[in-house]
Amino acid sequence: MAEQKRPRIGIVGTGAIGGFYGLMLARAGFEVHFLLRSEYAAVKAQGLRVNSAVHGKLHEPQVHAWQDAGQMPACDWLLVGTKTTANAELAPLLAQLAAPDTRIVLLQNGLGVEEQLQPLLPESVHLLGGLCFICVHRSAPGVVEHQALGMVNLGYHSGPAEDTAARMAIVEEGAALFQQAGLESTAMANLQQARWQKLVWNVPYNGLSVLFDAGTTRLMANVDSRALIHALMEEVVQGAAACGYSLPAGYADSLLKATERMPDYLPSMYHDFAEHRPLELQAIYQAPLDAAAAAGCELPKMRMLLQALRFLAAP
């Protein structure tokens, strides 16, 4: 029997997330192509590095690096590591890079990100969401610092797969790619529930890290900030329930305990604010607030946090 051809994987947005997962997949023997902008020259010359507290110091000195999407080959899987603030300009690139039946995975935070892109993509592609549970940031062009974790869970959003079995088969195929790279990955039956679940952590820690200029260790050590984190978590759980997604009992408490075991971590929004980049306020805050309000549920603490972040982010 002929050996089945391994899929070609494209990374759109080779920052911390795209760089980490792309390098891990390349080291597992997959053909991985990286689309870059400002960091193209550095990655083309020096390759990619991941300094990992889990996997050690990793270096791929030569990678398939591209600056022009028109020259990059079509891919079977496209992993999108850009921030949601860049989604408006993303669809033409994805359509250009996708072959018929391509699987596009949005490795992005927040709610409603797939709904924003889906109408702009070819009907022949499969759109999936990816939820990354990882402590990672970029320290220099082509250099990623990986502090902890690395799990990525996948769920099917839309595309030509017509029934639940076909959709789950595609999601399991994607999870298997990450598993072959030595990473934990689960195929999720309900993508929207998984996105609400991820928001329970993202809503408090992203926003409060900016508001208080603090990482997770300081936020957890102070009795007032810890109480605020817990209250925000419980609000997100309440919003999810109003929208029809019941999260596990005691989920907020379990996340607090998990965060206590983590090394001190500055979430992605902290780095975006420090480097004067747009904050992902629409996907992480406004979209879930709107969804909850449409279901008759107000989340006042989360709305207040969004208002404070908008003030800080204003020109």
Side-chain angles (χ1 to χ4, degrees), residues 154-315:
L154 305 180
Y156 194 96
H157 180 268
S158 54
E162 295 181 355
D163 56 48
T164 301
R167 293 179 171 205
M168 281 304 293
I170 290 171
V171 177
E172 288 167 358
E173 180 187 344
L177 300 180
F178 292 101
Q179 290 163 6
Q180 289 176 61
L183 300 167
E184 187 178 349
S185 185
T186 301
M188 307 292 288
N190 190 318
L191 175 59
Q192 293 308 309
Q193 171 139 348
R195 286 209 167 276
W196 273 104
Q197 223 164 295
K198 181 79 186 294
L199 283 167
V200 178
W201 195 94
N202 273 325
V203 163
Y205 288 104
N206 271 285
L208 294 180
S209 72
V210 173
L211 205 61
F212 297 148
D213 189 21
T216 54
T217 298
R218 281 182 61 207
L219 290 172
M220 293 296 288
N222 180 276
V223 64
D224 291 308
S225 56
R226 184 188 175 103
L228 182 53
I229 289 166
H230 189 264
L232 283 162
M233 285 182 167
E234 292 291 0
E235 270 201 355
V236 179
V237 171
Q238 180 186 353
C243 294
Y245 306 109
S246 180
L247 303 189
Y251 188 62
D253 290 322
S254 70
L255 286 185
L256 286 174
K257 291 176 182 176
T259 306
E260 285 179 330
R261 296 191 295 269
M262 284 169 38
D264 187 33
Y265 180 59
L266 293 167
S268 60
M269 191 170 287
Y270 181 94
H271 293 284
D272 290 339
F273 182 74
E275 296 174 29
H276 307 288
R277 295 191 295 255
L279 306 186
E280 296 183 287
L281 301 182
Q282 172 63 33
I284 295 178
Y285 296 97
Q286 190 65 64
L289 280 168
D290 290 346
C297 177
E298 282 298 322
L299 309 175
K301 292 183 178 64
M302 183 173 166
R303 189 171 296 279
M304 189 179 298
L305 179 55
L306 171 59
Q307 290 166 332
L309 291 168
R310 280 185 174 151
F311 174 83
L312 290 174

Side-chain angles (χ1 to χ4, degrees), residues 24-177:
M24 295 298 289
L25 288 162
R27 287 175 62 84
F30 291 100
E31 180 186 339
V32 183
H33 294 260
F34 297 86
L35 183 63
L36 303 113
R37 290 187 178 177
S38 59
E39 299 191 5
Y40 169 77
V43 172
K44 187 70 175 175
Q46 303 166 18
L48 277 172
R49 294 181 185 273
V50 170
N51 299 319
S52 173
V54 179
H55 307 285
K57 292 188 179 296
L58 310 177
H59 182 211
E60 286 291 310
Q62 292 184 321
V63 298
H64 299 292
W66 304 88
Q67 195 171 26
D68 182 356
Q71 296 179 355
M72 186 168 156
C75 296
D76 304 298
W77 287 84
L78 288 172
L79 308 184
V80 180
T82 58
K83 295 294 177 69
T84 57
T85 50
N87 278 1
E89 58 199 70
L90 193 58
L93 279 177
L94 296 177
Q96 191 173 14
L97 292 171
D101 208 41
T102 286
R103 289 91 157 105
I104 297 174
V105 184
L106 299 186
L107 300 176
Q108 296 181 327
N109 288 323
L111 202 66
V113 292
E114 292 85 12
E115 287 80 357
Q116 183 184 7
L117 275 175
Q118 188 269 334
L120 307 175
L121 296 175
E123 294 182 358
S124 62
V125 304
H126 304 271
L127 183 60
L128 289 75
L131 289 305
C132 304
F133 298 84
I134 187 169
C135 297
V136 67
H137 68 277
R138 186 181 57 196
S139 59
V143 182
V144 176
E145 307 297 329
H146 174 223
Q147 293 173 261
L149 308 176
M151 178 173 66
V152 54
N153 294 339
L154 305 180
Y156 194 96
H157 180 268
S158 54
E162 295 181 355
D163 56 48
T164 301
R167 293 179 171 205
M168 281 304 293
I170 290 171
V171 177
E172 288 167 358
E173 180 187 344
L177 300 180

